Amino acid sequence: MVYYRNRFCLVGDYLVSKFPNNIFDIVQDDLVAVEQELYSIIQSPVDLVNDISVHLVQAGGKRLRPALFLLCARGGCPDHNKLLPLAVAIELIHMATLVHDDVIDDASTRRGRPTANARWGNYSSVLTGDYLFAKAFSAVAVGADKEMLKVLTDVISVMCEGEIDQMKESFNPDQDEADYRLRVAQKTADFIAASCELGAMAAGLDEREVVQVKEYGNAIGMAFQITDDILDITASAEQLGKPVGNDLRQGIVTLPVIYALKNSPDRDELRNIIIKQNMTDNDVKRGLEIIHQTEAIEYSYAQVNKYLQHARNILPPTLSSEVKEALVAVADFVGLRKY
Amino acid sequence: MVYYRNRFCLVGDYLVSKFPNNIFDIVQDDLVAVEQELYSIIQSPVDLVNDISVHLVQAGGKRLRPALFLLCARGGCPDHNKLLPLAVAIELIHMATLVHDDVIDDASTRRGRPTANARWGNYSSVLTGDYLFAKAFSAVAVGADKEMLKVLTDVISVMCEGEIDQMKESFNPDQDEADYRLRVAQKTADFIAASCELGAMAAGLDEREVVQVKEYGNAIGMAFQITDDILDITASAEQLGKPVGNDLRQGIVTLPVIYALKNSPDRDELRNIIIKQNMTDNDVKRGLEIIHQTEAIEYSYAQVNKYLQHARNILPPTLSSEVKEALVAVADFVGLRKY
């Protein structure tokens, strides 16, 4: 019990440090319960499965998706017994996709810590991802009705499609903003939208309100991913917990890159860097330089702000002021985060 | 339509050739419908996802799990609309685990055809596996109640644990039969048992009958995997669709190996081969020779036959003779198959 308690304090601190002004205060107790349940549900008689799963839970993360789910569920009168398993399922699915992403990208660090694949190899990491998917749906079996289960499974299919599409289009400079926005929706925004939608469904909001809350989540998700893509170019390696320009090196054509490819006087040089399958450190450095010399970052932040303004505006007027303020504070935070 | 029809004939032929005496005749129409639904459910707007998924469905396989599920469901009065999605979910889960296994093993062929990872790379294969998991649970949302969903998620967790345990214990000659049997249960038999159990649950059989049908499935699964492990040593590469001695090369200590490690006069030599992380072709050849010189194969087949006899005996007496005969024929076939 003490063991768990220490963990929670740590996680609590982590959450507070990632989300300033305690914007998730009203669901903090539930988030602590989610953390406890995450440790409980992943327990396995096979030590190695335990070790990897605990590593993944400890690696933390912002718990943004369950936090948004719980916040949105506060918009009505949810069956409290069903909330926790669903919040846990949402985070487990997120963790499963991250561990598979790290295998795929051959990533050695995430959030400044060694990845599961770097520490235990691809074999165990792929299987632990599958294990987490299974545990997620096991939790869903407790908390969700069939409509909710469908929302979750659809979102996983779409995420996989988005990731595969991204891989197919890597090192391809001929992509426009519409391609990018579709991919960001598939990769990131749809899942955050679904987390909010499921919260609204659990809360028993009416159909129109559920759609509005989902759209709020979609806008938050778009802004979140575009910010991620900006930070890959502007933040330091220490802030990111991974190398700067990592996306560029992998040939992932993000919004600032698309802007620079269209507007930079050195666009041909940038294009030639992107089509290289094996960029050198100097290529990446020069690519970032070309992007920085344009208005790409300002333009991208302007898009972030548009999404966030839409997120604030679309919230159902019927939400309690407490919930609404918290959801607006999330939008404010996403626009400000620097890492 | 013609497109589908051709496929089905092919698949039909395939089934017949794999399962002699048309033992799945009484569920053949349902199996054709499963095949059709598999092609339908995996359809994706992303071409690459489509291509890989279709490749995986076309790669065929025996469809043993959905066939057993459908057969067991004939033991009572199932809601027919719910059967098809569940049968599809079972096969999709099986396909997802196979595609991840092939990534993990870096396998280049399965059933004589190139694997998805060999053709499209690990990135797309891991994600397509996840995509198939999601589609499976999407189908489950239609056909299953919460109890059934729990059976399926538990079985996936256990399969992952079994595979991770197998990896951890590879190249370790100090394993006994109990370790082996537990792993075979986790890796293979539990899923086949669950397929039968779900059929019995869908049929509305009583609790005692459900347990008996599940135990039948468990025995079939144990016999099936031990036979696989025997064939890895005795069959030809053409019959297997993969190299002979593949398990041995990967350091997987199967029942014939355990027998030989205990009973061969050359057990120290075999032991030294197994602990090598990089066996040469000659090592594998010599290892197989040592195993063949013992009674390992006869002993292993005796275990198969014990399981199959138990499978035949444990079937509920209340099953219709048609269903019972078909289930007994499956047991007969598992004991006879040569590839």
Side-chain angles (χ1 to χ4, degrees), chain B residues 16-323:
Chain B
V16 170
S17 74
K18 283 278 183 183
F19 290 107
N21 309 324
N22 304 332
I23 51 182
F24 286 126
D25 256 10
I26 58 171
V27 290
Q28 191 60 35
D29 288 350
D30 289 337
L31 282 172
V32 171
V34 166
E35 217 58 29
Q36 190 159 24
E37 189 58 22
L38 279 173
Y39 281 105
S40 158
I41 200 168
I42 57 173
Q43 278 188 12
S44 160
V46 177
D47 289 344
L48 189 53
V49 177
N50 248 337
D51 292 347
I52 302 175
S53 303
V54 167
H55 172 86
L56 293 169
V57 176
Q58 280 181 336
K62 293 173 281 295
R63 312 291 189 227
L64 175 66
R65 290 154 193 82
L68 281 172
F69 164 78
L70 291 165
L71 261 185
C72 293
R74 288 275 172 136
C77 306
D79 174 348
H80 215 264
N81 290 330
K82 291 184 173 179
L83 283 189
L84 187 61
L86 256 170
V88 167
I90 287 169
E91 189 61 18
L92 285 171
I93 290 169
H94 180 56
M95 284 166 57
T97 60
L98 291 187
V99 69
H100 282 179
D101 280 357
D102 285 341
V103 170
I104 286 165
D105 297 343
D106 206 13
S108 56
T109 56
R110 176 178 287 272
R111 301 180 191 121
R113 295 171 49 124
T115 55
N117 47 303
R119 197 155 155 191
W120 289 282
N122 288 347
Y123 190 114
S124 306
S125 302
V126 170
L127 288 167
T128 303
D130 294 349
Y131 176 82
L132 296 177
F133 272 128
K135 289 292 175 186
F137 284 105
S138 173
V140 169
V142 182
D145 57 27
K146 290 188 175 187
E147 230 180 335
M148 289 172 155
L149 176 55
K150 191 77 172 59
V151 169
L152 271 177
T153 57
D154 283 354
V155 111
I156 298 173
S157 315
V158 168
M159 272 195 290
C160 296
E161 288 173 335
E163 294 281 351
I164 289 179
D165 193 53
Q166 173 171 294
M167 184 273 304
K168 211 184 90 196
E169 297 302 335
S170 58
F171 303 104
N172 172 15
D174 295 316
Q175 296 179 63
D176 61 18
E177 263 198 62
D179 299 325
Y180 170 79
R181 282 175 204 254
L182 175 63
R183 205 166 54 229
V184 168
Q186 290 178 317
K187 262 179 56 184
T188 308
D190 278 6
F191 190 17
I192 293 179
S195 304
C196 295
E197 181 186 13
L198 289 168
M201 287 165 83
L205 300 193
D206 71 31
E207 209 174 314
R208 183 191 157 86
E209 291 166 326
V210 170
V211 170
Q212 289 170 329
V213 169
K214 181 182 174 180
E215 197 166 332
Y216 161 87
N218 179 65
I220 292 287
M222 294 297 295
F224 192 84
Q225 183 62 52
I226 298 174
T227 308
D228 242 25
D229 294 344
I230 295 170
L231 292 174
D232 186 66
I233 291 166
T234 61
S236 66
E238 292 71 40
Q239 286 173 319
L240 291 173
K242 59 182 181 182
V244 185
N246 202 39
D247 292 341
L248 184 63
R249 188 182 295 271
Q250 291 181 70
I252 302 172
V253 177
T254 60
L255 187 56
V257 181
I258 290 170
Y259 183 92
L261 277 169
K262 200 172 158 194
N263 298 292
S264 167
D266 302 314
R267 54 179 166 264
D268 291 340
E269 191 186 349
L270 181 58
R271 200 182 162 84
N272 285 331
I273 291 172
I274 288 165
I275 57 177
K276 276 194 182 180
Q277 301 279 327
N278 285 308
M279 288 179 214
T280 63
D281 286 349
N282 270 341
D283 288 331
V284 176
K285 202 174 148 200
R286 175 65 186 141
L288 294 177
E289 200 173 69
I290 293 172
I291 297 164
H292 275 292
Q293 283 163 355
T294 68
E295 307 284 309
I297 303 303
E298 292 77 359
Y299 175 78
S300 301
Y301 267 124
Q303 306 312 305
V304 169
N305 288 328
K306 271 190 204 168
Y307 279 113
L308 293 178
Q309 199 45 45
H310 184 58
R312 291 182 195 100
N313 291 341
I314 193 72
L315 283 170
T318 44
L319 290 180
S320 74
S321 61
E322 184 189 50
V323 170

Side-chain angles (χ1 to χ4, degrees), chain A residues 184-196:
Chain A
V184 168
Q186 290 178 317
K187 264 179 55 184
T188 309
D190 278 6
F191 191 16
I192 293 180
S195 304
C196 294

Side-chain angles (χ1 to χ4, degrees), chain A residues 7-18 28 32 35:
Chain A
R7 261 191 227 292
F8 292 150
C9 294
L10 272 173
V11 174
D13 292 348
Y14 187 80
L15 277 167
V16 171
S17 76
K18 282 280 184 183
Q28 191 60 32
V32 170
E35 218 56 30

